[in-house]
């Protein structure tokens, strides 16, 4: 069975500080990992996926298969980063079906 | 990017009535659509996976007779909550994918059952 764990339900940092949202997964195969973001009163949207290896809005995430982690990082948090962040895992053998973590609410204080 | 719409965005109904929620992919054909339920400040709970022209696959614990899913075309899936009760009040979200892409989410539908 696949599982995604986001150990922090709430995370609060000051503007300009580094931020790291943790995500650990369990899956026996080779998964696809995603980070989704949900801003206040907006729909859930894709932030980044591990196979793209890109930086979106200053965020990066590296898949660490040894530690089964896919932590989301940003060196300098901004107030507009305040949102709910979900880590998700998709099996590469099952078209589309994803498992979501419980989410982390990030608050960036001025 | 791809756009997924949901209608209605919110609905209030009396206990015992049925409510239909539509999910449409506006500018692409979705091979698969998903229906989720989200409780306040909680994660998305996958309810079912819907493929066009075939029966939906329900997750364990989701009553298929209560949550009827119809996927009539590559751009439309509907979720009908039958004989709704207050405990069915929730935020229902659909998502759609094309083969090999990530999911595109609808804005959600807030259902309140009185």
């Amino acid at each position: 069975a696949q599982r995604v764990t986001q150990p922090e339900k709430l995370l609060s940092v000051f503007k300009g500080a580094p931020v790291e949202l943790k995500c650990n997964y369990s899956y026996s195969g080779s998964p696809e990992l995603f980070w989704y973001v949900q801003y206040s009163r907006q729909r859930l949207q894709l932030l980044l996926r591990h196979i793209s290896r890109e930086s979106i809005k200053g965020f990066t995430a590296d898949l660490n298969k040894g530690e089964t982690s896919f932590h989301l990082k940003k060196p300098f948090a901004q107030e507009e980063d305040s949102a709910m962040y979900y880590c998700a895992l998709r099996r590469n053998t099952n078209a589309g079906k994803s498992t979501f973590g419980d989410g982390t609410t990030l608050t960036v204080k001025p | 990017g791809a756009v997924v719409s949901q209608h209605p965005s919110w609905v209030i109904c009396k206990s015992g009535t049925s409510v239909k929620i539509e999910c449409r992919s506006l500018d692409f054909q979705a091979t698969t659509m998903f229906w989720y339920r989200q409780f306040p400040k909680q994660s998305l709970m996958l309810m079912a996976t819907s493929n066009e022209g075939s029966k939906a696959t329900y997750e364990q614990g989701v009553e298929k007779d209560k949550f009827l899913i119809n996927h009539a075309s590559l751009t439309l899936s509907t979720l009908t909550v039958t004989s709704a009760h207050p405990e069915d009040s929730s935020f229902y979200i659909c998502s759609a994918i094309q083969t090999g892409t990530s999911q595109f989410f609808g804005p959600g539908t807030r259902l309140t059952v009185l």
Side-chain angles (χ1 to χ4, degrees):
Chain A
Q2 59 199 60
R3 185 181 175 89
V4 177
T5 303
Q6 292 180 248
E8 302 139 329
K9 204 167 180 65
L10 301 171
L11 184 61
S12 181
V13 300
F14 284 101
K15 175 183 174 181
V19 62
E20 180 180 55
L21 290 85
K22 291 184 168 55
C23 172
N24 288 91
Y25 67 91
S26 62
Y27 177 57
S28 56
S30 293
E32 283 189 85
L33 274 297
F34 302 81
W35 276 99
Y36 289 90
V37 61
Q38 188 171 29
Y39 299 103
S40 180
R41 298 178 187 276
Q42 294 188 28
R43 72 182 70 193
L44 202 64
Q45 57 185 288
L46 177 68
L47 181 61
L48 52 80
R49 54 195 300 191
H50 89 270
I51 62 173
S52 300
R53 301 186 65 82
E54 55 191 345
S55 174
I56 304 294
K57 298 184 179 182
F59 285 96
T60 59
D62 291 316
L63 179 60
N64 186 322
K65 292 187 177 181
E67 296 182 358
T68 59
S69 68
F70 188 55
H71 302 326
L72 183 68
K73 300 177 184 179
K74 185 169 182 176
F76 307 103
Q78 302 299 315
E79 289 181 68
E80 54 265 29
D81 296 328
S82 296
M84 187 78 160
Y85 291 81
Y86 293 96
C87 182
L89 177 155
R90 182 168 77 185
R91 292 181 285 177
N92 59 6
T93 57
N94 188 330
K97 183 174 175 178
S98 298
T99 298
F100 284 78
D102 289 340
T104 297
T105 300
L106 173 65
T107 302
V108 181
K109 296 180 285 188
Chain B
V3 177
V4 174
S5 71
Q6 277 183 246
H7 178 80
S9 55
W10 60 270
V11 58
I12 301 173
C13 69
K14 292 182 178 179
S15 186
T17 60
S18 294
V19 175
K20 180 186 284 188
I21 303 170
E22 291 186 350
C23 177
R24 293 181 185 272
S25 56
L26 297 185
D27 51 1
F28 68 101
Q29 292 185 324
T31 51
T32 305
M33 288 183 169
F34 302 92
W35 286 96
Y36 295 88
R37 187 170 175 175
Q38 186 180 34
F39 294 98
K41 297 191 182 296
Q42 292 189 30
S43 188
L44 285 77
M45 183 193 78
L46 179 65
M47 299 174 67
T49 302
S50 171
N51 291 295
E52 185 264 340
S54 61
K55 288 184 179 180
T57 303
Y58 290 81
E59 294 300 300
Q60 193 172 9
V62 178
E63 298 175 60
K64 59 182 66 177
D65 293 331
K66 180 165 188 61
F67 298 100
L68 300 178
I69 292 173
N70 183 281
H71 197 151
S73 74
L74 284 171
T75 59
L76 173 65
S77 176
T78 60
L79 167 68
T80 301
V81 183
T82 63
S83 186
H85 290 281
E87 57 265 30
D88 299 324
S89 298
S90 192
F91 198 57
Y92 292 87
I93 301 172
C94 74
S95 72
I97 62 168
Q98 294 174 291
T99 303
T101 70
S102 59
Q103 295 184 66
F104 298 99
F105 288 85
T109 297
R110 171 77 57 195
L111 170 63
T112 302
V113 184
L114 302 176

